């Protein structure tokens, strides 16, 4: 009787001190409720919480990440990385928020270079964070403390730009917005009249007004605010208006349109809420569309007029970048799109119109500077030009059989190209130093020595001394020497062959 036995082999692997146990990272905590930074202060303490059993890997580093303004971690910003071994137990680190921070729903998370568990990092509580680019007092209304508008009219208050003694205007930071307030005296809170708005405010009722730079939850912690201007309403009735010499909408391609205000004592023009320096005449030459205001001083009061100037235009685009590279023999299809109602198309190569290329799609097969001009006829003839460039990865390099393998050093050929090792010229009009830019050449003697090497061949081997002909740097002895070449083309193809030099 044959007995069968089943043997089970256990393989026991020894544990070593190099094995570290689990590292679990908890939710980061902090005591601040909002992160309000400025150029003089940007340091906030964050508590990193974790547990490691039995011990933390000594090579570990913790990485503190900040979300986007809406709490998204798809592209987080690293705001602190600990040094190796900096934290062996839960502790605090000081972080700085990015200079573009501006939002109410930021979060922080902590990651590790050696965390052993594949758990998603825990996020902190939500908090506002703002970097106050501008954090000093500024002026409005040219620092004049009062103004008067005509009965039934309005008055524009605006942030003063740098100039005329002003050096700290928040207008130097174009991304900022502003909160406008009506001042109600020292005992009552101010009344918001425009939140997250532009750098100007149109007053339609008398009162005292000022503005603060909008930093969300950090606005109350900001020193970026203006002087107070008291605005009165006159009993005098007057109104302002604006006319456009070329109508509204106008045609920008035909030049500027003249905006004209009603007659008054003085004027100040604005575009999109920003004062236009030097625009203090009754007329203003507008070349682009936008919202234009003019403040007219009638002597006893001021009135403001507004025109939403529209320019006839088309919006067009092409589906390729400005610079394109294609392989030799390949084609690039370019498509133009436009919102023109009845457009016409013309494609150009090197500023010359391409015959028959009059649709919105063109197939490019050669290098050059291309563009398409999209035209819209009508009361305003509009032409929009969209340029792009196409380059080839390399010029075609001929077969090895086209490369000459004999160099003749004879007085008959003095000043002739047969004196030198020639590479074929796919484009005869291209200078050699341009054609072979990026073409590598190595010349090797029969003994295996490299006698010539370059990454940009310029038809200069062998180095024959033309003034002392027939001397050269080649020793003929009793035979015509044979050399070997290795050519590396622009597209990294390698070509090998031999050369016989005949005296």
């Amino acid at each position: 009787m044959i007995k069968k036995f089943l043997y089970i082999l256990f393989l026991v692997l020894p544990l070593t001190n190099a094995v570290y146990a689990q590292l679990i990272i908890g939710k980061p905590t902090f005591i601040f409720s909002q992160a309000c930074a400025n150029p003089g202060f940007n340091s906030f303490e964050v508590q990193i919480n974790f547990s490691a059993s039995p011990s933390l890997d000594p090579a570990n580093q913790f990485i503190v990440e900040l979300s986007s303004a809406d709490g998204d971690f798809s592209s987080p910003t690293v705001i602190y990385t600990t040094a190796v071994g900096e934290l062996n137990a839960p502790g605090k680190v000081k972080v700085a928020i990015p200079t573009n921070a501006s939002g109410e729903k930021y979060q922080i998370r902590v990651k590790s270079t050696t965390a052993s568990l594949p758990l998603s990092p825990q996020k902190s509580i939500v908090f506002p964070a703002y970097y106050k680019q501008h954090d000093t007092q500024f002026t409005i209304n040219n620092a004049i403390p009062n103004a008067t508008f005509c009965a039934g009219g309005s008055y524009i208050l605006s942030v003063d730009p740098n100039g005329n003694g002003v050096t700290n205007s928040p207008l130097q930071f174009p991304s900022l917005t502003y909160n406008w307030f009506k001042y109600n005296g020292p005992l009552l809170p101010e009344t918001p009249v425009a939140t997250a708005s532009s750098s100007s405010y149109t007053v339609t009722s008398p009162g005292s007004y000022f503005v603060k730079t909008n930093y969300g939850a950090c606005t109350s912690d900001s020193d970026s605010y203006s002087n107070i201007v008291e605005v009165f309403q006159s009993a005098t009735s007057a109104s302002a208006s604006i006319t456009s010499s070329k109508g509204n909408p106008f045609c920008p391609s035909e030049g500027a349109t003249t905006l004209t205000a009603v007659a008054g004592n003085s004027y100040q023009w604005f575009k999109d809420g920003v004062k236009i320096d030097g625009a203090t005449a009754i007329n203003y030459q507008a070349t682009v569309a936008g919202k234009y205001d003019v403040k007219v001083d009638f002597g006893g009061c001021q009135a403001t007029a507004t025109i939403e100037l529209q320019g006839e235009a088309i919006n067009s685009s092409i589906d390729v970048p400005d610079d394109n590279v294609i392989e030799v023999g390949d084609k690039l299809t370019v498509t133009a799109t436009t919102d023109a109602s009845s457009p016409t198309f013309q494609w150009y190569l090197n500023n010359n119109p391409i015959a028959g290329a009059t649709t919105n799609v063109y197939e490019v097969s050669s290098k050059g500077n291309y563009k398409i001009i999209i035209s819209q006829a009508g009361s305003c003839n509009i032409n929009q030009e969209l340029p792009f460039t196409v380059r080839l990865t390399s010029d075609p390099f001929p077969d090895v059989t086209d490369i000459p393998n004999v160099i003749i050093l004879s007085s008959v050929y003095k000043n002739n190209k047969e004196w030198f090792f020639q590479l074929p010229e796919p484009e005869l009009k291209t200078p050699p130093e341009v054609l072979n830019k990026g073409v590598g050449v190595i010349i090797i003697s029969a003994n295996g020595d490299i006698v010539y090497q370059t990454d940009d061949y310029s038809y200069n081997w062998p180095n024959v001394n033309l003034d002392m002909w027939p001397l050269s740097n080649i020793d003929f002895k009793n035979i015509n020497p044979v050399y070997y070449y290795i050519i590396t083309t622009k597209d990294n193809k390698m070509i090998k062959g031999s050369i016989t030099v005949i005296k």
Side-chain angles (χ1 to χ4, degrees), residues 409 461-464 471-477 481 483 501:
L409 299 180
W461 187 86
N463 297 317
V464 178
L471 299 178
S472 75
N473 61 349
I474 296 179
D475 185 5
F476 285 88
K477 295 182 180 179
Y483 293 85
V501 180

Side-chain angles (χ1 to χ4, degrees), residues 433-456:
E433 64 272 14
V434 176
L435 173 66
N436 294 319
K437 187 76 173 176
V439 175
V441 174
I442 300 176
I443 307 295
I444 306 171
S445 71
N447 296 326
D449 299 324
I450 296 177
V451 298
Y452 179 87
Q453 184 172 4
T454 181
D455 292 328
D456 300 293

